Amino acid sequence: MRKETKNITLSALLSSLIVVLIVLGTFVELLDITVAAICSLIVFVIKIECGGKYPFLVFLTSSVLALIFVPMSTATLYFIGFFGYYPILKFVFKKMPKALRKIICVLIFNISMCILMFCFKTIFALQNEPWQIYVALLVTSNIFFICFDYLLDVFIFIYIKKIRPKFKKH
């Protein structure tokens, strides 16, 4: 019972932190994808600390609250469209060979980005942009994703080896 209460409390706290970060990310439009990536790290912490259903519940709760507070935000769409559930997928694909896992993750990312670009074009009524802008966005977002995926692996290592033991002592 005590562990369940700890998991629920940590999940609720970090869900609210995700929503706060997404709200703050809407004020500076250049930080939208960065904020979504930082929120992804928080989902990863929940996956490591609580496991089970909690990462999905944090993603779901944060997504619903972000849609309520900032529905027309690109940070919200990036989080819901890919970065919120990517840490969960990363653990699912963990047992696959590394090359296959990377290919599948890049493929899922590109499918998600294409769907998001379609949403941006329809929801935000972006009608007159040339197609080259979308190609440039896809290329730069792929570079961002490859860097993010690498840094996510580094973050996991640092979190498990350096940060987590400091919290376990108390």
Side-chain angles (χ1 to χ4, degrees), residues 5-170:
T5 304
K6 178 191 132 254
N7 290 345
I8 292 171
T9 304
L10 183 63
S11 297
L13 226 139
L14 292 181
S15 292
S16 63
L17 178 61
I18 289 172
V19 174
V20 167
L21 287 172
I22 290 174
V23 169
L24 291 175
T26 60
F27 293 118
V28 181
E29 196 63 34
L30 295 174
L31 293 179
D32 50 1
I33 197 166
T34 306
V35 165
I38 291 169
C39 293
S40 183
L41 297 177
I42 296 170
V43 175
F44 231 116
V45 169
I46 288 294
K47 180 67 179 160
I48 292 169
E49 292 300 327
C50 302
K53 63 186 174 192
Y54 294 101
F56 177 74
L57 292 174
V58 166
F59 164 67
L60 187 66
T61 303
S62 303
S63 298
V64 169
L65 290 174
L67 281 173
I68 291 170
F69 290 117
V70 280
M72 295 299 283
S73 165
T74 53
T76 302
L77 292 177
Y78 280 131
F79 180 75
I80 294 170
F82 181 74
F83 288 98
Y85 63 82
Y86 180 66
I88 301 166
L89 285 181
K90 194 162 174 80
F91 271 94
V92 169
F93 297 144
K94 190 175 184 176
K95 295 187 180 179
M96 289 182 174
K98 188 175 183 178
L100 180 62
R101 180 177 69 230
K102 297 289 183 188
I103 290 169
I104 290 173
C105 288
V106 168
L107 184 65
I108 291 171
F109 176 75
N110 281 302
I111 291 168
S112 299
M113 286 306 293
C114 288
I115 292 169
L116 284 172
M117 283 185 215
F118 177 75
C119 290
F120 292 154
K121 193 166 177 76
T122 56
I123 292 173
F124 295 118
L126 303 174
Q127 301 297 328
N128 298 325
E129 283 75 29
W131 62 270
Q132 292 92 343
I133 288 178
Y134 294 103
V135 171
L137 180 61
L138 195 60
V139 169
T140 55
S141 63
N142 270 284
I143 293 168
F144 178 85
F145 172 70
I146 291 167
C147 294
F148 169 73
D149 191 49
Y150 172 75
L151 291 174
L152 198 54
D153 292 336
V154 171
F155 172 76
I156 294 167
F157 178 79
I158 291 172
Y159 180 78
I160 290 173
K161 297 291 182 188
K162 303 280 184 188
I163 298 171
R164 190 176 190 211
K166 291 182 181 180
F167 287 111
K168 291 292 182 183
K169 289 180 183 177
H170 296 96

